Amino acid sequence: MASDQKTSTGFHHALKVKQEVCIGCTHCMTVCPTEAIRVKDGMAVITDERCVDCGMCLRSCPVKAIHVDHDDFNHIFDYKYRIALVPAVLIGQFPEDISVEQIYSVLADIGFTHVYEAEHGVDLLHQTMLEYVKKPIVAKPVISSFCPAIVRLIQVRFPALTENVMLLKPPLDVASLYIKKRLVDEGALDHEIGIFYITPCAAKIAEIKSPVGEDVSAITGVINLDFIFNKIYRTIKATPRGSSFPLPDVSPLTGIAVKWSLTHGEADHIPGRSLAIDEIHNVMDFLEKIENEEISDIDFLELRACDESCAGGVLTTANRFLTVERLNHRASETIRRQTESGLSANNQNEMAPYFGHLLPLIRVDEVQPRGIMQLDKDMAEAMRKMNKRNKVYNALPKVDCGACGAPNCQALAEDIAQDKASFDQCFFIRNRMLTAGKIQLSDSKQILDSIWGNNKLKKLGEGNDPTKENQ
């Protein structure tokens, strides 16, 4: 089972490095949007206070040395009532000839007593959001709290914008509060209920283990979507053709809810000037313009860390564009049926009778900044370190080669100012020191080993030396 122990920063991180597998290739270091990764002793090291669990490192690793730690599936059997809280993108992973009912049926077959889609929480949340964005005291633009990687990104890189984050829980939390309340009303005891979210991304694991704006999540555990997808798909494929699955009743989502986790899922349903931006580097570029007041007069921002939002989550299996297509088809069919039935969204949502109970529970406390640009809590010491950082940076070659084990010269300068690195880690400066006789060749090798490990140099053995011509 994944550890609930938080890091020294007080935040759980789902991304882990398998040190025995890592080859120190720097792929992860160069793509990390918050510069959270360094290479030391030939291995990637994730800096807890900088990491936002976006999963870019996992996606880029060529040897699968980075993995996402999740709860042991067998943990579900510790509970009498075992709820699979599934995102709509799980349904979108499968070919369209596999029905929602079949997927639900297999989830029940492998051990869950209840299956519930997280987007059932959208209808109440949407109503509340419409009221929230109209409040004159709310800082604009209001930034959606749907994507936990984005909330953490704002805390870390854009702390001045934390006051813009919408103080409402995402749909999965609304749904978990509802399902627990309903089961208790039906006679279940609180300790008998285990709610397990099937997550398409690492950030949602971090969110559930250490939620922002509240003390504890109502969700018991988290299981990776790719793990569950493989279990379901293997079961369906192993079933003889023509066999029938017991098809459970499926409470339908509204059309809005089906597409909520996709790009434009929120923004298209919020009045005023609402924009949707996906992929974390695109988000960062836009937030920099907001922070610098280059862009204004925006009412609402839907920001998602992954390309195509949750359809492109790092723990999904299917092509993200095919997932979007299937969910769009499902939404269209849902809207058609809803129109034919003449029922409103609230009439169709079984959660509607509980809206009054849930409404006060879906608000969260203010989001606190975790600014990584703060060099020290003491102002005088911070100024000293800032001056040192600037002087160091001006002395560096500014080629951003990564040979020092940091992603760029600016990051190395900051590490040096924080006494976490040294000048001689820079390849160019170290060569200059060698030429000037300030260090010996053995010193240079020792520095090189401290960054890249001694195995890389050992590989250049007699039969593996590319500098020798082939005979």
Side-chain angles (χ1 to χ4, degrees):
M1 186 173 69
S3 173
D4 288 345
Q5 184 177 0
K6 298 178 182 178
T7 66
S8 59
T9 61
F11 291 88
H12 178 95
H13 290 292
L15 293 162
K16 312 291 182 184
V17 179
K18 296 178 183 177
Q19 294 187 345
E20 69 279 10
V21 178
C22 179
I23 59 173
C25 65
T26 76
H27 284 71
C28 59
M29 183 179 77
T30 55
V31 300
C32 178
T34 58
E35 299 177 352
I37 299 176
R38 302 290 187 272
V39 175
K40 297 179 180 179
D41 295 322
M43 293 178 291
V45 177
I46 300 176
T47 307
D48 289 334
E49 60 265 27
R50 287 176 174 266
C51 178
V52 298
D53 290 277
C54 66
M56 292 293 292
C57 55
L58 178 134
R59 205 188 294 273
S60 69
C61 182
V63 294
K64 301 188 184 304
I66 297 176
H67 69 108
V68 176
D69 199 20
H70 71 144
D71 289 299
D72 186 339
F73 176 77
N74 290 322
H75 183 38
I76 73 170
F77 297 106
D78 294 342
Y79 299 88
K80 180 178 179 180
Y81 301 92
R82 304 179 290 277
I83 298 90
L85 188 62
V86 302
V89 292
L90 173 64
I91 311 302
Q93 301 301 293
F94 296 88
E96 295 206 41
D97 60 351
I98 295 177
S99 70
V100 177
E101 290 81 4
Q102 282 180 296
I103 296 167
Y104 273 40
S105 174
V106 176
L107 283 168
D109 186 59
I110 64 176
F112 291 102
T113 59
H114 299 72
V115 182
Y116 200 69
E117 283 189 80
E119 283 79 6
H120 278 295
V122 164
D123 297 322
L124 173 59
L125 179 64
H126 182 218
Q127 292 179 22
T128 312
M129 287 171 64
L130 293 176
E131 299 171 3
Y132 187 98
V133 296
K134 292 178 182 176
K135 293 180 179 180
I137 60 171
V138 173
K140 295 295 178 70
V142 173
I143 299 175
S144 167
S145 57
F146 176 87
C147 178
I150 295 302
V151 174
R152 289 192 174 203
L153 175 71
I154 291 171
Q155 288 181 286
V156 167
R157 287 291 298 267
F158 304 95
L161 296 178
T162 51
E163 64 180 18
N164 295 69
V165 177
M166 184 176 65
L167 302 179
L168 297 175
K169 294 179 181 178
L172 68 96
D173 286 323
V174 179
S176 64
L177 290 168
Y178 159 72
I179 194 70
K180 179 169 281 193
K181 171 64 175 171
R182 196 191 80 185
L183 288 173
V184 168
D185 286 351
E186 292 173 358
L189 299 178
D190 191 79
H191 70 271
E192 297 177 318
I193 302 170
I195 303 176
F196 294 85
Y197 181 61
I198 312 303
T199 181
C201 75
K204 285 187 170 65
I205 299 177
E207 175 192 31
I208 290 166
K209 299 297 183 181
S210 52
V212 175
E214 57 180 330
D215 294 329
V216 65
S217 171
I219 298 169
T220 311
V222 198
I223 302 171
N224 292 353
L225 187 145
D226 53 357
F227 173 84
I228 288 294
F229 168 82
N230 288 327
K231 266 184 168 293
I232 297 171
Y233 200 61
R234 281 198 302 266
T235 300
I236 292 175
K237 286 299 180 182
T239 302
R241 188 180 296 274
S243 299
S244 61
F245 288 84
L247 300 181
D249 291 332
V250 177
S251 180
L253 293 176
T254 60
I256 291 178
V258 170
K259 297 170 63 174
W260 194 260
S261 62
L262 305 181
T263 303
H264 287 282
E266 296 176 276
D268 285 356
H269 303 286
I270 302 297
R273 189 183 179 196
S274 299
L275 300 180
I277 302 165
D278 59 16
E279 206 282 325
I280 195 164
H281 293 94
N282 295 333
V283 169
M284 290 174 64
D285 288 343
F286 198 87
L287 287 179
E288 284 176 2
K289 296 185 186 317
I290 293 289
E291 191 174 52
N292 295 333
E293 299 182 350
E294 297 175 37
I295 299 175
S296 59
D297 300 324
I298 298 176
D299 297 299
F300 180 81
L301 285 176
E302 170 201 304
L303 306 177
R304 308 286 178 81
C306 296
D307 185 17
E308 294 294 338
S309 297
C310 291
V314 296
L315 296 176
T316 57
T317 300
N319 179 278
R320 62 190 182 280
F321 302 109
L322 296 179
T323 300
V324 171
E325 180 185 50
R326 178 166 191 190
L327 291 181
N328 282 332
H329 288 169
R330 185 184 177 199
S332 297
E333 180 64 15
T334 298
I335 292 170
R336 183 188 66 78
R337 290 178 181 175
Q338 181 179 317
T339 302
E340 289 178 355
S341 68
L343 296 175
S344 68
N346 280 355
N347 290 138
Q348 286 195 323
N349 193 332
E350 64 182 65
M351 196 185 293
Y354 287 80
F355 279 6
H357 167 77
L358 295 170
L359 190 59
L361 301 178
I362 68 173
R363 301 182 185 277
V364 297
D365 296 333
E366 292 183 2
V367 175
Q368 299 300 318
R370 291 167 48 199
I372 57 174
M373 301 308 292
Q374 183 183 19
L375 294 172
D376 201 279
K377 292 182 180 180
D378 179 80
M379 182 62 70
E381 182 63 12
M383 289 297 294
R384 186 192 70 79
K385 289 181 178 180
M386 184 176 69
N387 290 333
K388 182 178 179 180
R389 179 193 64 191
N390 294 340
K391 288 179 181 178
V392 169
Y393 180 67
N394 288 332
L396 292 173
K398 303 179 181 64
V399 296
D400 297 339
C401 65
C404 61
N408 51 56
C409 291
Q410 182 71 47
L412 177 61
E414 186 169 320
D415 288 350
I416 293 172
Q418 297 278 34
D419 296 323
K420 296 178 180 178
S422 59
F423 244 124
D424 52 20
Q425 286 182 217
C426 173
F427 168 81
F428 298 94
I429 289 176
R430 190 167 63 253
N431 273 2
R432 193 186 311 160
M433 294 171 72
L434 265 173
T435 303
K438 293 182 178 179
I439 62 172
Q440 301 299 312
L441 190 60
S442 58
D443 298 324
S444 179
K445 181 184 180 303
Q446 188 175 4
I447 295 165
L448 195 63
D449 286 350
S450 71
I451 302 169
W452 300 106
N454 55 19
N455 286 333
K456 282 188 172 57
L457 293 181
K458 284 181 178 178
K459 286 181 180 178
L460 293 177
E462 191 63 35
N464 195 32
D465 190 345
T467 65
K468 292 190 173 184
E469 293 183 6
N470 291 327
Q471 300 299 322

